[in-house]
Amino acid sequence: MKRIIYTKIGGPDSIEIIDEELGRPEENQVKVRVYRAGINFADLMMRQGLYGSNPNFPFTPGYEVSGIITQIGENIEDLTVGERVIAMTGFGGYAEEVIVDSSRVIKIPDSMSFDQAAAMPVTYGTAYHMLVYLGGIKQGDSILIHHAAGGVGTAAAQICRSFGAKLIIGTASKAKKEFVESLGMHFVDREEGDFVRVCKKLTDGKGVHQAIDPVAGKHLMKSYKSLRNGGKLHCFGASSAVPREKRSIIAALRMWINTPKFNPMMMMNSNKAIFGVHMGKMDDEEIFKNHLIELGALLEKEEIDPIIDSVWKFEDVSEAQRHMHKRRNKGKVLLDFSPK
Ligand SMILES: NC(=O)c1ccc[n+]([C@@H]2O[C@H](COP(=O)([O-])OP(=O)(O)OC[C@H]3O[C@@H](n4cnc5c(N)ncnc54)[C@H](OP(=O)(O)O)[C@@H]3O)[C@@H](O)[C@H]2O)c1
């Protein structure tokens, strides 16, 4: 079977594909023939050595796949060969086959395509965790979403609408204005717009109930300022550390130095809260699994529907990642590993 590897810290050209035999699943494990693997922004950061929690090089990235179970280990009663599933691989998902613990596998309904299934776990799981589980989003709320046209951004917008948010403000590149507006968001140009001012203006000076910020650096303080009294900010990424496809240590350092150090005593006066969110480091798998089950119900009610930007042959993984570096994607980017 074919497996993609990150050979060393580098640009998209440092990615290689190797051939290898995968063994049999052990007790409580299943083997999955992968059809689709999701690409996440985190994968781009890992390739640049800026992620912090990936295995040593060389390694295979890939948090999430959809596919069909082809073998099961001992001690498994609720899964069978031939079932269509999502597998949360952690790492290693960029491959034709994966072996995972059965606790990280969820069956998918016949109505769900492999594309939809692979597009959901990280993007919707993270957005749901922030807005619903931590943020307690309510009907009538106002929400600020950055990277609004991307994988998490489009998922977050759909979740906001499904929970009855009254105002969703989305920042993205200029070329995505129409797309962002088509998702029910008020568009703000990421480069030229002043999202703090827009958040205040559209909420009678109060600010938004929640903001989700995957940019970090000085951008994070602006998101904090966009909140109302009692508002919640989710810090869940650091895209400002990754301005290009090749690593920039200066940008990474700038992000780190400029990220504000909040003082809880000062925060008391405005009743604001900040959550640090990293789904890859959640110890309690049940929380994440429950999010996916609840999201599955929303999908069945047609309240959410993953937006797929593009599906790339896995051999074109470098180009697929370049596409994201160039900020061209609208929605989720997937790799196609299905049998030819
Ligand atoms: N903490 C967690 O558990 C977690 C989980 C999932 C994702 N995340 C974070 O959430 C963010 C979104 O992730 P995603 O996988 O859905 O990716 P994505 O938003 O689809 O990523 C690509 C988009 O990001 C925007 N972007 C902003 N700054 C960028 C930069 N420096 N380089 C390239 N693109 C940039 C671009 O759109 P515009 O320029 O139009 O905005 C681009 O189209 C990332 O920062 C990611 O690390 C965190």
Side-chain angles (χ1 to χ4, degrees), residues 4 6 12 15 17 34-48 51 59-66 87-95 114-124 126 147 149-155 242 306-337:
I4 290 168
Y6 283 177
I15 303 176
I17 298 174
V34 175
Y35 278 62
R36 297 283 188 271
I39 300 188
N40 289 290
F41 197 86
D43 305 344
L44 315 186
M45 298 186 78
M46 286 173 206
R47 206 199 60 242
Q48 298 192 356
Y51 194 58
F59 71 96
T60 297
Y63 268 121
E64 58 199 343
V65 301
S66 59
M88 294 300 302
T89 38
F91 295 96
Y94 285 21
F114 284 128
D115 284 2
Q116 288 176 312
M120 280 196 67
V122 174
T123 52
Y124 284 83
T126 307
H147 290 208
V152 177
T154 52
V242 187
I307 297 176
I308 315 294
D309 169 77
S310 47
V311 184
W312 301 69
K313 285 190 274 179
F314 74 85
E315 295 90 340
D316 296 331
V317 56
S318 301
E319 273 316 300
Q321 291 202 354
R322 272 201 189 95
H323 178 69
M324 288 178 75
H325 279 297
K326 288 178 184 159
R327 302 169 181 266
R328 292 206 177 130
N329 64 302
K330 293 179 188 156
K332 183 82 182 180
V333 181
L334 299 173
L335 292 174
D336 179 2
F337 283 96

Side-chain angles (χ1 to χ4, degrees), residues 41 147 151-152 173 176 190 214 236 239 242 277 279 327 329:
F41 197 86
H147 290 208
V152 177
S173 302
K176 298 173 186 166
R190 164 181 85 64
F236 75 112
S239 62
V242 187
V277 172
M279 299 311 286
R327 302 169 181 266
N329 64 302

